[in-house]
Amino acid sequence: MLDETIITKAIIESYTQDLINNLHTDVIIAGAGPAGLVASKFLADAGLKTIIFERKLSIGGGMLGGGMMFNKIVVQTEAKRILDIYDIKLKEIEKGYFVADAIESVGKLTAGAIDAGVKIFNLISVEDVKIDGDFRITGAVINWTAVGMAKLHVDPLTFESRCVIDATGHDLEVVNVALRKIPNSKIDTPTGEIMGELSMNAEIGEKILLETTKEVYPGLYVAGMAANACSGGQRMGPIFGGMLLSGEKVANLIINKFKR
Ligand code: 48H
């Protein structure tokens, strides 16, 4: 006879334990799109305790929808080696253009992160940052996505980390809230402010992404589409190589910083 209360206890205890085990980490990533997922695996592979908070029920962000719901993605030669790490099947349709299945890609990027030791919490949104006395960012303030959707007045909870990555895509949510709430704050962009993304140019957008991926404020990094949205980079449509390379780059920046 199956006892429903034992099932309930298993779920409550196990989930609560996961939350408590991850109250203090090296890196908190907001957003489980391709950039956040790749960053998380590389960080965890380097021995850094890494968690992701993902707003939605699903993992994968914009990668799941491919281009205009044709669930295929394209990557260029420079990024092929990253998909190879995950054993994602690729077909070269023209020299230098590789096409992959979006669902397979998200599935394997997610499995790669989890196997490396990353803990992913879905259905939770990062709604604010934690700051220390010098206004350095030292964690994330989180709440159930459903609380925000229902506009309920429920106070959030706080998780601490050595740094935070904003991998929230076009909306650049974490940098936006930090700039709004930290007095007189400037970020590391040409204007010191959020510059917003520019219209489509895949060639420039993909290239510039590796420059815009960086620590923009003490303790706060940007990766993926959020990086171009922060520094005024072009959008690039459903070519995903830049997102993967940006995830790798932000991980390396953090790994090198923490090694010092
Ligand atoms: C927790 C949050 C919050 C929050 C949002 O949009 P994504 O896929 O982001 P990237 O940068 O990994 O990839 C971008 C790519 O998908 C894309 O949009 C491209 C290439 N566009 C080009 C173009 O021309 O349009 O994933 C971000 C994730 C999503 O899953 C969100 O649900 C999640 O972040 N998220 N999670 N707390 N406050 N805000």
Side-chain angles (χ1 to χ4, degrees):
M1 261 258 302
L2 284 172
D3 182 335
E4 293 84 354
T5 63
I6 295 177
I7 298 169
T8 303
K9 182 166 179 269
I11 286 174
I12 294 173
E13 266 184 2
S14 164
Y15 190 84
T16 306
Q17 203 52 58
D18 278 349
L19 287 174
I20 290 169
N21 288 346
N22 287 290
L23 270 174
H24 304 274
T25 57
D26 292 308
V27 187
I28 292 175
I29 301 177
L37 286 172
V38 169
S40 73
K41 172 184 162 51
F42 281 81
L43 288 162
D45 280 344
L48 295 177
K49 190 169 178 183
T50 304
I51 58 174
I52 305 182
F53 293 114
E54 166 52 50
R55 155 170 296 169
K56 291 192 182 145
L57 181 57
S58 61
I59 303 304
M63 192 179 244
L64 275 179
M68 218 186 85
M69 295 203 270
F70 296 98
N71 63 0
K72 298 283 178 185
I73 59 156
V74 172
V75 300
Q76 60 277 55
T77 306
E78 294 87 330
K80 176 183 178 299
R81 66 181 171 78
I82 297 196
L83 291 187
D84 286 343
I85 295 172
Y86 297 86
D87 212 12
I88 293 167
K89 292 187 278 303
L90 293 166
K91 188 171 172 202
E92 189 167 23
I93 45 143
E94 292 227 11
K95 194 169 164 30
Y97 295 78
F98 299 86
V99 70
D101 184 87
I103 312 285
E104 179 187 353
S105 300
V106 168
K108 289 184 174 170
L109 292 183
T110 308
I114 292 168
D115 288 348
V118 177
K119 181 69 209 163
I120 303 176
F121 296 98
N122 63 340
L123 296 165
I124 292 179
S125 296
V126 174
E127 67 164 53
D128 204 341
V129 290
K130 170 177 161 0
I131 48 176
D132 66 12
D134 296 323
F135 299 117
R136 189 191 149 76
I137 287 170
T138 55
V141 176
I142 60 162
N143 213 330
W144 300 113
T145 301
V147 164
M149 290 171 79
K151 299 194 190 327
L152 301 177
H153 185 159
V154 177
D155 272 359
L157 294 174
T158 305
F159 279 58
E160 202 173 67
S161 59
R162 294 167 74 191
C163 69
V164 172
I165 302 175
D166 185 337
T168 63
H170 295 270
D171 293 339
L172 185 66
E173 296 226 346
V174 184
V175 177
N176 264 297
V177 73
L179 274 190
R180 213 169 50 241
K181 293 200 176 182
I182 301 176
N184 305 318
S185 46
K186 290 281 171 211
I187 51 172
D188 181 15
T189 63
T191 61
E193 318 276 337
I194 293 171
M195 296 174 70
E197 72 184 48
L198 301 185
S199 289
M200 182 83 77
N201 187 308
E203 172 67 22
I204 304 176
E206 288 283 272
K207 283 224 167 81
I208 210 167
L209 186 53
L210 292 180
E211 290 164 37
T212 56
T213 299
K214 58 184 169 182
E215 186 176 18
V216 288
Y217 182 85
L220 180 57
Y221 291 76
V222 286
M225 199 58 222
N228 273 8
C230 196
S231 291
Q234 283 76 353
R235 70 185 305 185
M236 66 297 289
I239 180 149
F240 280 82
M243 300 303 132
L244 310 172
L245 294 168
S246 172
E248 178 189 46
K249 175 164 181 198
V250 78
N252 285 335
L253 290 175
I254 293 169
I255 293 162
N256 289 334
K257 182 155 190 175
F258 287 180
K259 258 197 227 148
R260 269 189 263 130

